[in-house]
Amino acid sequence: MKKLMTIFLALGISLYSFAQAIDDEAVIPVSITLNSILRLNVTSGGNIEFVFNNLNQYTLGIATNARYNTDFNVSSSIDFDVDLTPENTSFFIGTDDPGHQMGIEYVRINVIEAVAGPSDVFGGPTAFIPAQANYEIVSYDGSNSNAGTGLVNSFTIQWDVMPIIAADLAADRYSNNFFLSLRTNN
């Protein structure tokens, strides 16, 4: 009987050891990386060409219309501003003769927002201010975030040229490069 009791005891201990719950744990690291997204996309009007063909254009200027628009949008994960910077802050330079110069103040811009949103845009039309190298044309208005897709952050720069008859400019093709710069609002 002692032998039988020992067998039952051994069997009971072995069953108990197999029936015990196994306690173990694992660590699963979870990380989230947020990269700032800042994308500027010119969708049309990447090259603006004003051509003065008649005396009315010299005396009245050339008013903006769809032909003289630059459309662009911004996709951004953070608040942003957009600057417009002329390569030469004072003059348009003659292509045929670099000595020919036309004052930058003859070109005016007006910036409109395609969809009303939390950005302030440069309203006008007002003469472009040549003394400013970085001219802010779109800025975060400080209320709600202006981060979002290009569908909600679409803008148009309307260009026009003021009358130039009194400027007594030589016939030439006058050019200047303008840079659109997207930057964070921080």
Side-chain angles (χ1 to χ4, degrees), residues 80-97:
F80 65 89
D81 297 325
V82 178
D83 295 337
L84 182 67
T85 305
E87 186 171 24
N88 185 312
T89 59
S90 301
F91 301 104
F92 284 81
I93 307 296
T95 304
D96 297 334
D97 181 353

Side-chain angles (χ1 to χ4, degrees), residues 81-162:
D81 297 325
V82 178
D83 295 337
L84 182 67
T85 305
E87 186 171 24
N88 185 312
T89 59
S90 301
F91 301 104
F92 284 81
I93 307 296
T95 304
D96 297 334
D97 181 353
H100 293 160
Q101 297 178 341
M102 176 182 158
I104 199 168
E105 68 274 6
Y106 288 103
V107 174
R108 301 183 304 178
I109 63 167
N110 181 43
V111 180
I112 59 172
E113 200 170 358
V115 178
S119 292
D120 287 331
V121 295
F122 172 78
T126 302
F128 190 83
I129 302 170
Q132 290 184 273
N134 295 324
Y135 198 63
E136 190 172 275
I137 61 170
V138 176
S139 63
Y140 169 58
D141 72 5
S143 59
N144 297 318
S145 176
N146 67 353
T149 68
L151 296 174
V152 296
N153 290 317
S154 295
F155 307 94
T156 299
I157 303 171
Q158 299 172 324
W159 304 83
D160 68 33
V161 179
M162 295 172 54

Side-chain angles (χ1 to χ4, degrees), residues 7-158:
I7 292 174
F8 282 127
L9 188 59
L11 185 60
I13 291 174
S14 70
L15 286 176
Y16 178 74
S17 67
F18 286 116
Q20 277 188 350
I22 298 175
D23 214 0
D24 200 1
E25 63 182 39
V27 176
I28 301 172
V30 176
S31 300
I32 299 173
T33 301
L34 298 177
N35 292 316
S36 295
I37 297 169
L38 284 170
R39 303 266 189 294
L40 178 109
N41 184 32
V42 175
T43 57
S44 69
N47 183 26
I48 303 297
E49 181 84 28
F50 289 98
V51 178
F52 283 73
N53 288 324
N54 60 55
L55 197 52
N56 277 343
Q57 291 170 329
Y58 274 87
T59 57
L60 301 174
I62 297 179
T64 190
N65 62 45
R67 180 179 182 178
Y68 306 119
N69 286 349
T70 299
D71 297 317
F72 69 97
N73 61 50
V74 174
S75 295
S76 178
S77 62
I78 55 179
D79 296 332
F80 65 89
D81 297 325
V82 178
D83 295 337
L84 182 67
T85 305
E87 186 171 24
N88 185 312
T89 59
S90 301
F91 301 104
F92 284 81
I93 307 296
T95 304
D96 297 334
D97 181 353
H100 293 160
Q101 297 178 341
M102 176 182 158
I104 199 168
E105 68 274 6
Y106 288 103
V107 174
R108 301 183 304 178
I109 63 167
N110 181 43
V111 180
I112 59 172
E113 200 170 358
V115 178
S119 292
D120 287 331
V121 295
F122 172 78
T126 302
F128 190 83
I129 302 170
Q132 290 184 273
N134 295 324
Y135 198 63
E136 190 172 275
I137 61 170
V138 176
S139 63
Y140 169 58
D141 72 5
S143 59
N144 297 318
S145 176
N146 67 353
T149 68
L151 296 174
V152 296
N153 290 317
S154 295
F155 307 94
T156 299
I157 303 171
Q158 299 172 324

